[in-house]
Amino acid sequence: MVKIVKQTADLVEKLCVALCILLTALITFAAFMQVFSRFALGGAWKWTDEASRYCLVWLTMLGAALGVRRHAHLAIDLVLKALPQRLQMWIEHLILLCSALFGAVLVYTGYQLSSTVMGQKSAVLGLPMGMVYLAVPVFGLFLALFSLEEFCERLASPKKGA
């Protein structure tokens, strides 16, 4: 079970990294075109702003998911480290389960929101707005997966979690 979860998480992490690289390239291109059109052509192209914004939404969510997988988020663990080691382990397990549960809530509510606005189109690009909001349930799914992976790894080797 732990091996399957880890392999899935490794695959999802690679996908996240590739998408983050692509989204960063798209944002850079859109920003360049915004500046170019404004100064070289005398007027800004409207699509560049909207494209940059929507790419940034997705980049933020995917980057946050990567931060969870790589333990890169800020943690204030002063109180946690003051507790006995056995209690620390239990609290860390509880935190991981709460994170996974929160991810599941984001999947459910984010999907509902995305489905609700799928028929609406963005002002300039004409994209379904549900595609933009789909970043929330995708983040929730990745958060749940990465949290469960860490939880399973800690159960499999308690020394790491202690």
Side-chain angles (χ1 to χ4, degrees), residues 75 77 79-100 147 150-152 154-155 157-162:
D77 58 358
V79 174
L80 184 64
K81 296 299 179 192
L83 297 173
Q85 195 168 3
R86 186 125 173 98
L87 187 56
Q88 285 180 28
M89 181 183 71
W90 284 103
I91 291 174
E92 287 172 347
H93 288 159
L94 180 64
I95 290 169
L96 289 169
L97 288 175
C98 287
S99 293
S147 297
E150 181 69 19
F151 181 77
C152 290
R154 286 173 184 251
L155 286 181
S157 62
K159 293 285 184 204
K160 183 182 178 202

Side-chain angles (χ1 to χ4, degrees), residues 19-35:
L19 288 173
C20 284
I21 290 169
L22 176 65
L23 290 167
T24 301
L26 289 172
I27 291 170
T28 302
F29 176 74
F32 173 79
M33 294 309 293
Q34 173 80 347
V35 172

